[in-house]
Amino acid sequence: MTNERQGNEAPTGNVALVTGASRGVGRGIALGLLEAGFRVYGSGRSIEQADLPPEIRRLPCDQLKDEETAQVFETIRSECGALHLLVNCAWGGYEKMVEDGAFTWPAPFWDQPAHRWTGMMDAGVRAAFVCSAHAARMMTPRHRGLIVNISFWSAQRHLGNTIYGIAKAATDKMTSDMAVELKPFAVPVVSLYPGLVRTEAVVAAAKSGAFDLSTSESPEFIGRVINALFHDPNLMARTGQVLVAAAVAKKFGVLDVDGNSPPVLTLADIGSEG
């Protein structure tokens, strides 16, 4: 993928949109892509209050509202004329994990609160589908672009709760099927699995001994990995696949912000439940 200017594309280089960029993995991806030279747009409900540099264009958006999502893409179209990279990171599944003093996250499916389905399936999977449709309309005419869906191992093993598994499995299947329809237009789409990421919530939990951060990844690391994928001339050979971020990093020599190379986790390394 080259940096040539086509049509009315922005002269500033490659344009990226990261959804769910207000905090956590999404924020780190936005920072990593900015470091790599992308013109970065970040969307999210609380994006205006996010700790982001002024170079990142903030687009307030509740991805449960299709009209707000459409406005995000219209803004990018009007300001840049093109979109080269979409990272679907919006996700509402980690909200309200404790309710009325009860930790409901691992509850059996019949005791799960209804909002968790909305947070994972609507604010997560459906939001990624809608954003990908908007992005495809901008990418396919140019036969250029990349869509990355952030997913996780819960697609393949029970982790946490049933809805979590459903959402991530749906994300991976969506990636696989989108790849079939995008292939004639040379637009790849992949699912990307981070490892244990040092988000604000994970760092806070680690202080109580909940996590061992010795093999963890910074949020910016995922952005660096996505940049490497974007510039891989053979990326179409990977379209539709599930990729592990640390494995991609090993292949392309990508290091974390601290200079470390995070270990590549496998399904066997991920604890099972039930």
Side-chain angles (χ1 to χ4, degrees):
M1 296 185 181
T2 61
N3 289 318
E4 77 277 8
R5 189 180 181 193
Q6 300 182 29
N8 63 341
E9 291 181 12
T12 51
N14 295 309
V15 179
L17 168 63
V18 182
T19 70
S22 301
R23 59 185 181 274
V25 175
R27 175 180 174 274
I29 291 172
L31 292 172
L33 294 176
L34 180 67
E35 173 193 61
F38 282 82
R39 181 174 179 177
V40 180
Y41 288 76
S43 68
R45 287 174 297 176
S46 58
I47 196 73
E48 291 182 313
Q49 290 76 47
D51 181 16
L52 292 168
E55 293 84 359
I56 293 178
R57 177 79 157 88
R58 303 165 188 239
L59 299 177
C61 178
D62 181 346
Q63 300 222 225
L64 292 173
K65 299 177 180 178
D66 288 349
E67 64 277 12
E68 293 189 12
T69 299
Q71 185 57 53
V72 165
F73 286 87
E74 182 53 38
T75 297
I76 295 172
R77 187 190 305 276
S78 64
E79 294 183 356
C80 302
L83 177 66
H84 305 100
L85 171 63
L86 167 66
V87 183
N88 284 310
C89 199
W91 178 253
Y94 297 142
E95 299 173 346
K96 301 179 184 177
M97 297 178 79
V98 177
E99 300 175 89
D100 299 325
F103 184 48
T104 61
W105 174 261
F109 70 87
W110 57 89
D111 287 333
Q112 283 287 328
H115 70 76
R116 190 153 291 139
W117 179 275
T118 300
M120 294 185 182
M121 297 301 295
D122 294 343
V125 180
R126 185 182 184 279
F129 178 88
V130 173
C131 286
S132 296
H134 282 288
R137 295 183 193 111
M138 299 176 72
M139 295 174 178
T140 54
R142 290 178 168 80
H143 287 236
R144 183 181 177 210
L146 168 63
I147 298 173
V148 177
N149 296 319
I150 301 300
S151 189
F152 198 60
W153 295 99
S154 56
Q156 303 179 39
R157 172 171 289 177
H158 186 280
L159 294 172
N161 60 70
T162 295
I163 305 174
Y164 192 31
I166 293 170
K168 296 307 184 182
T171 297
D172 289 354
K173 177 59 173 171
M174 178 173 65
T175 294
S176 176
D177 285 3
M178 283 180 174
V180 173
E181 297 175 3
L182 287 170
K183 189 173 183 178
F185 301 94
V187 175
V189 51
V190 298
S191 282
L192 187 65
Y193 286 11
L196 176 61
V197 182
R198 294 189 298 275
T199 62
E200 301 90 337
V202 167
V203 170
K207 293 178 180 178
S208 65
F211 294 108
D212 175 6
L213 299 183
S214 61
T215 60
S216 63
E217 305 164 356
S218 74
E220 294 86 350
F221 174 70
I222 311 303
R224 293 183 173 191
V225 168
I226 292 172
N227 174 60
L229 282 172
F230 182 85
H231 290 98
D232 177 11
N234 299 313
L235 184 56
M236 278 304 299
R238 298 170 176 260
T239 190
Q241 295 181 13
V242 169
L243 305 177
V244 177
V248 174
K250 297 284 188 187
K251 175 177 174 61
F252 293 107
V254 177
L255 299 178
D256 208 338
V257 293
D258 56 6
N260 289 330
S261 178
V264 180
L265 300 179
T266 67
L267 190 59
D269 298 315
I270 306 298
S272 62
E273 301 173 7

